[in-house]
C-alpha cells in the first residue's frame, strides 16, 4: 500500500468516528450520517488507488449491480418497513464477508502457505458472516411477515440441535485448520454456519427482533474486522471493529430498554419453555364501542394520552391521529403521546412517524415520564399497540413478557383500544387489558377508525 | 504486521465503545442503521481480492463470487446510508425550531 492510500484511509477513519459521534445526538445526526458516508467514499477511492488493481470491469460491474439494487430499495421502502430493510442490508454485508472468505480458501488452495492468522481470521469471517447473512434473512422474513412473527421452535431439542450445528461448523473449520484443503470443508463450514443462523433466530419472537438485528449488526462488524486482518487492510479492521464495539453497546442499550438480557434472548427464544403462552380466552368478555361513543368520551376528558404502536404505523394513521389531537385540543383537552421505547418494531419508530406528521416534540413523552400520569388520565387511546400495554408484564410471572417495562395504560380511568381484531400481538400472547371493565374496543383499521372519530368530533 | 494490525484492532474497539456512551432512545434505530452502513466496508475486501492486489490466482467461479460480494457490500453501504438519511429526515421539520428554542433557553 502506498502512502497516499494509507493517508486517505486515515482521513476515512477520522470521518467515520466523527460521523458516528454525530449520530448519537439529535441535532448532529443528519450531518453525522453524511460525514460517515463521505468517509466511506474516500475509503473506496483509496482502495481503488492501491497499485496493481486489475479486473476493473468486474469491480465496476459489482458496484453497479449493488447500486442498482440498493438505491431504489432504500429510496422506496416505506417508513414502516425500515426495520426489515436494515436487517436485509446487514445480512448482505455478512454475506459479502462469507463469500470473500470462500474465495480466499479457493485461491490459496485451502490457505496453503498462508500465515495461520490469515486462516483463522478468514474462517472466523466465513462463520460469522454466514450466521449473520442467514440470521438477518430470517429477521427480515419475520418483520416482513413472510415468516410468522411468533417463535418457531423445535421445543426441547432446540438447544441440542443448535449445539450440533455449532459443533459441525467448528469441525469443518478445524479440519481446514489442520491442513485439509477439500472444497467440501469450506462449503460445509458456510452451510453449517447458515443452519446455525437460521436455528438461532427462528425461535426468537418478533418483539425481540430489534435486539437481534442490532446483535447481528455488531457480528457483521466483527466479521468485517476479521476479513480486514486476513487481507491486511487497515480500513476494514478499523471500521469493522468500531461497528463491532459500538454495535455491542447499542445492543445492550436496546436490551436494557426492554428489560431483557441478551443471553436470554439468544439462548431461550421468547419466554424459554413456552410457559403459559396461550391461556384460555374463551370465557372472557370484552366491550365494544363505536366511533361516536369514543368521540364523546374523549371530548369531555381533561387529558387524553395516545399510545401508538405498530398498528398505527401499518395503517399510516399518524396524520389523522395528529388531526384528531388538534380537534381535541380545540375543545380544551390536553393530548399527550406515550412512547414506549420499543413501540412499533424498533426503538424510535413511533417518534419518526409522529415527527413526520408534525406532532409537536413536547407532546411526545417517554415511558418513565408518562407512567406517573396515567392515574390522572381520563382516556388512554391505544392505537395498534399491544404487548407494550400488557399488564401481564407486571403481574404474571409466568408470562413470556414478564419483567418488560410497560406503559401503565390500565391505571387510567378508561381505555379505548383501536385494533383490527382480537388477534394477539407480535409476541403472540393474549392481553388482559382488553378484558378489563374499563376498556372498550374499537375494531377496524386504525386510520379509518380515527377518521370516523374525527367525523364524530366535528359534529359535537 | 500482525501485531500492528492487532493493536489497531484493539484500539478501534475502544474507540467504538467510547463513541457510544449516551444515546437517546429515539436515535437507537438511526444509529444502528448508520453503523450498519459502515460495516459495508467489506466492499473494500471484495475490491482488494478481485483486483488481485494481493496476487492470488482466481478462477471464473471465484470472480463470480467476488462480483456478488462487491454487489452485496455496495448494497450494504449505499442502502445503509440512504435509509439512515431518510429516517433522520423525518425529524428535520421540527428540529430547527427545537434547536433554536433550546439555544434561546441557554442564553437566557
Amino acid at each position: 500500500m502506498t502512502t497516499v492510500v494509507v493517508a486517505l484511509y486515515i482521513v476515512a477513519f477520522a470521518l467515520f468516528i466523527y460521523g458516528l459521534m454525530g449520530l448519537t445526538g439529535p441535532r448532529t445526526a443528519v450531518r453525522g450520517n453524511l460525514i460517515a458516508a463521505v468517509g466511506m467514499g474516500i475509503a473506496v477511492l483509496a482502495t481503488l488507488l492501491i497499485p496493481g488493481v486489475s479486473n476493473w470491469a468486474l469491480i465496476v460491474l459489482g458496484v453497479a449491480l449493488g447500486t442498482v439494487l440498493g438505491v431504489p430499495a432504500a429510496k422506496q421502502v416505506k417508513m414502516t418497513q425500515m426495520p426489515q430493510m436494515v436487517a436485509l442490508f446487514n445480512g448482505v454485508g455478512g454475506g459479502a464477508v462469507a463469500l470473500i472468505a470462500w474465495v480466499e480458501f479457493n485461491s490459496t488452495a485451502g490457505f496453503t502457505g498462508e500465515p495461520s492468522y490469515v486462516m483463522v481470521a478468514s474462517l472466523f469471517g466465513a462463520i460469522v458472516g454466514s450466521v449473520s447473512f442467514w440470521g438477518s434473512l430470517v429477521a427480515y422474513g419475520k418483520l416482513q411477515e413472510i415468516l410468522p412473527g411468533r417463535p418457531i421452535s423445535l421445543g426441547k431439542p432446540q438447544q441440542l440441535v443448535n449445539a450440533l450445528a455449532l459443533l459441525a461448523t467448528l469441525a469443518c473449520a478445524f479440519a481446514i485448520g489442520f491442513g485439509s484443503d477439500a472444497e467440501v470443508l469450506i462449503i460445509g463450514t458456510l452451510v453449517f454456519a447458515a443452519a446455525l443462523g437460521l436455528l438461532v433466530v427462528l425461535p426468537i419472537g418478533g418483539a425481540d427482533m430489534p435486539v437481534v438485528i442490532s446483535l447481528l449488526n455488531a457480528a457483521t462488524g466483527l466479521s468485517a474486522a476479521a476479513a480486514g486482518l486476513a487481507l491486511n487492510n487497515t480500513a476494514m479492521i478499523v471500521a469493522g471493529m468500531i461497528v463491532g464495539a459500538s454495535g455491542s453497546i447499542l445492543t445492550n442499550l436496546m436490551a436494557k430498554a426492554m428489560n431483557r438480557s441478551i443471553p436470554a434472548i439468544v439462548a431461550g427464544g421468547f419466554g424459554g419453555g413456552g410457559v403459559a403462552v396461550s391461556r384460555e380466552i374463551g370465557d372472557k368478555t370484552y366491550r365494544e364501542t363505536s366511533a361516536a361513543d369514543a368521540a364523546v368520551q374523549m371530548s369531555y376528558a381533561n387529558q387524553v394520552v395516545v399510545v401508538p404502536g405498530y398498528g398505527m404505523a401499518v395503517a399510516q394513521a399518524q396524520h389523522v391521529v395528529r388531526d384528531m389531537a388538534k380537534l381535541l385540543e380545540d375543545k380544551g383537552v390536553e393530548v399527550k403521546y406515550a412512547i414506549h421505547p420499543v413501540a412499533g418494531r424498533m426503538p424510535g419508530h413511533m417518534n419518526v412517524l409522529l415527527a413526520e406528521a408534525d406532532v409537536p416534540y413536547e407532546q411526545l413523552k417517554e415511558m418513565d415520564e408518562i407512567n406517573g400520569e396515567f392515574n390522572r388520565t381520563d382516556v388512554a387511546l391505544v392505537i395498534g399497540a399491544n404487548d407494550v400495554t400488557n399488564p401481564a408484564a407486571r403481574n404474571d410471572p409466568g408470562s413470556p413478557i414478564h419483567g418488560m417495562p410497560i406503559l401503565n395504560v390500565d391505571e387510567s380511568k378508561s381505555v379505548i383500544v383501536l385494533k383490527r381484531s382480537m388477534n394477539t400481538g407480535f409476541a403472540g400472547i393474549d392481553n388482559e387489558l382488553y378484558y378489563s371493565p374499563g376498556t372498550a374496543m374499537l375494531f377496524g383499521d386504525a386510520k379509518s377508525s380515527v377518521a370516523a372519530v374525527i367525523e364524530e368530533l366535528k359534529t359535537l | 504486521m500482525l501485531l500492528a494490525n492487532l493493536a489497531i484492532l484493539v484500539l478501534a474497539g475502544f474507540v467504538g465503545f467510547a463513541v457510544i456512551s449516551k444515546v437517546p432512545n429515539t436515535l437507537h434505530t438511526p444509529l444502528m442503521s448508520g453503523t450498519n452502513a459502515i460495516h459495508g466496508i467489506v466492499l473494500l475486501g471484495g475490491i482488494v481480492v478481485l483486483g488481485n492486489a494481493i496476487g492470488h490466482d482466481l478462477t471464473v467461479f471465484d470472480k463470480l463470487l467476488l462480483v456478488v460480494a462487491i454487489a452485496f457490500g455496495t448494497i450494504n453501504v449505499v442502502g445503509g446510508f440512504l435509509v439512515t438519511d431518510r429516517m433522520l429526515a423525518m425529524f428535520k421539520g421540527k428540529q430547527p425550531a427545537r434547536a433554536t428554542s433550546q439555544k434561546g433557553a441557554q442564553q437566557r
Side-chain angles (χ1 to χ4, degrees):
Chain A
M1 260 186 271
T2 61
T3 318
V4 183
V5 176
V6 175
L8 286 175
Y9 275 174
I10 292 171
V11 174
F13 304 156
L15 292 176
F16 285 150
I17 295 167
Y18 191 56
L20 265 186
M21 281 162 73
L23 271 170
T24 61
R27 263 182 286 169
T28 48
V30 175
R31 203 182 43 186
N33 184 52
L34 259 175
I35 290 172
V38 171
M40 185 62 74
I42 292 177
V44 173
L45 181 79
T47 308
L48 293 173
L49 293 177
I50 295 177
V53 169
S54 55
N55 280 328
W56 286 95
L58 290 177
I59 291 176
V60 172
L61 174 68
V63 172
L65 268 177
T67 312
V68 168
L69 292 171
V71 172
K75 289 234 162 192
Q76 282 159 17
V77 63
K78 289 195 200 115
M79 268 298 151
T80 45
Q81 295 172 340
M82 232 27 133
Q84 48 265 52
M85 212 61 209
V86 175
L88 204 57
F89 290 150
N90 176 55
V92 291
V97 174
L99 290 176
I100 292 169
W102 189 1
V103 173
E104 276 288 279
F105 177 93
N106 290 345
S107 63
T108 57
F111 305 111
T112 315
E114 294 286 323
S116 50
Y117 78 88
V118 169
M119 182 174 66
V120 172
S122 291
L123 289 173
F124 178 85
I127 294 170
V128 178
S130 183
V131 167
S132 182
F133 180 72
W134 293 99
S136 298
L137 282 192
V138 172
Y140 171 81
K142 282 193 176 231
L143 291 170
Q144 190 71 23
E145 283 166 5
I146 299 167
L147 299 169
R150 65 184 62 236
I152 304 169
S153 162
L154 301 171
K156 277 240 152 71
Q158 179 80 44
Q159 306 279 10
L160 184 70
V161 177
N162 287 5
L164 283 179
L166 178 65
L167 275 179
T169 312
L170 292 178
C172 288
F174 274 104
I176 296 170
F178 286 116
S180 173
D181 57 359
E183 173 100 22
V184 66
L185 285 175
I186 186 74
I187 294 176
T189 308
L190 292 170
V191 169
F192 285 122
L196 187 62
L198 297 174
L199 285 166
V200 168
V201 181
L202 274 173
I204 300 175
D208 278 337
M209 225 23 91
V211 182
V212 172
I213 296 174
S214 179
L215 192 64
L216 291 172
N217 180 37
T220 310
L222 287 181
S223 70
L229 270 182
L231 299 172
N232 186 30
N233 184 295
T234 40
M236 290 170 73
I237 298 176
V238 171
M241 195 58 210
I242 288 177
V243 175
S246 62
S248 314
I249 299 230
L250 188 59
T251 311
N252 216 352
L253 287 177
M254 283 188 186
K256 256 190 208 150
M258 304 166 81
N259 199 20
R260 307 267 295 146
S261 86
I262 296 166
I265 290 173
V266 177
F270 205 102
V275 204
V277 167
S278 56
R279 290 195 295 158
E280 283 301 311
I281 49 166
D283 54 343
K284 283 195 268 186
T285 54
Y286 55 85
R287 195 159 57 88
E288 210 176 324
T289 187
S290 66
D293 285 341
V296 172
Q297 209 180 341
M298 283 192 286
S299 60
Y300 289 113
N302 288 317
Q303 173 160 296
V304 170
V305 173
V306 177
V307 181
Y310 188 67
M312 184 190 79
V314 176
Q316 290 287 312
Q318 62 270 31
H319 295 277
V320 285
V321 168
R322 193 264 331 264
D323 293 342
M324 182 193 71
K326 271 202 181 132
L327 279 170
L328 286 172
E329 281 168 344
D330 291 344
K331 293 177 188 294
V333 183
E334 192 162 351
V335 181
K336 288 171 182 166
Y337 298 81
I339 311 293
H340 191 277
V342 294
R345 303 232 164 131
M346 280 231 161
H349 200 173
M350 292 299 123
N351 304 64
V352 168
L353 289 175
L354 291 170
E356 184 200 354
D358 289 326
V359 171
Y361 187 84
E362 305 73 44
Q363 290 185 359
L364 304 183
K365 304 290 180 194
E366 289 197 5
M367 182 171 62
D368 299 336
E369 213 178 330
I370 197 78
N371 260 348
E373 286 202 34
F374 278 113
N375 53 18
R376 47 192 180 82
T377 298
D378 302 292
V379 181
L381 184 68
V382 179
I383 306 179
N386 189 344
D387 300 326
V388 297
T389 64
N390 193 340
R394 243 180 12 228
N395 309 329
D396 178 5
S399 168
I401 59 167
H402 184 254
M404 181 174 99
I406 56 157
L407 293 163
N408 298 327
V409 172
D410 53 332
E411 286 177 6
S412 56
K413 292 183 189 116
S414 63
V415 181
I416 301 172
V417 178
L418 270 56
K419 219 174 166 305
R420 273 182 297 192
S421 67
M422 286 305 284
N423 286 343
T424 54
F426 209 31
I429 50 176
D430 199 22
N431 192 340
E432 17 179 302
L433 176 70
Y434 305 152
Y435 310 104
S436 124
T439 305
M441 311 294 295
L442 181 56
F443 290 116
D445 168 75
K447 192 172 183 177
S448 36
S449 290
V450 175
V453 171
I454 289 178
E455 287 311 309
E456 297 294 338
L457 278 175
K458 281 183 181 156
T459 63
L460 281 174
Chain B
M1 196 167 72
L2 172 63
L3 281 181
N5 281 342
L6 282 179
I8 292 171
L9 186 78
V10 172
L11 291 176
F14 277 103
V15 170
F17 281 130
V19 168
I20 312 293
S21 48
K22 237 178 70 188
V23 190
N25 278 330
T26 326
L27 285 175
H28 280 177
T29 304
L31 182 63
M32 185 207 312
S33 181
T35 54
N36 177 33
I38 290 179
H39 66 51
I41 193 93
V42 294
L43 164 62
L44 303 195
I47 295 176
V48 169
V49 180
L50 180 58
N52 235 345
I54 51 175
H56 293 157
D57 290 328
L58 300 173
T59 62
V60 175
F61 179 62
D62 289 340
K63 287 181 184 169
L64 180 75
L65 290 181
L66 287 171
V67 171
V68 176
I70 290 178
F72 275 1
T74 312
I75 293 175
N76 191 174
V77 170
V78 180
F81 282 121
L82 276 177
V83 158
T84 312
D85 191 57
R86 275 190 61 197
M87 276 184 212
L88 293 170
M90 291 293 168
F91 295 101
K92 254 185 188 162
K94 47 125 200 176
Q95 213 61 52
R98 188 172 152 239
T100 46
S101 73
Q102 272 180 353
K103 234 180 251 165
Q106 277 162 3
Q107 279 161 1
R108 255 171 254 140

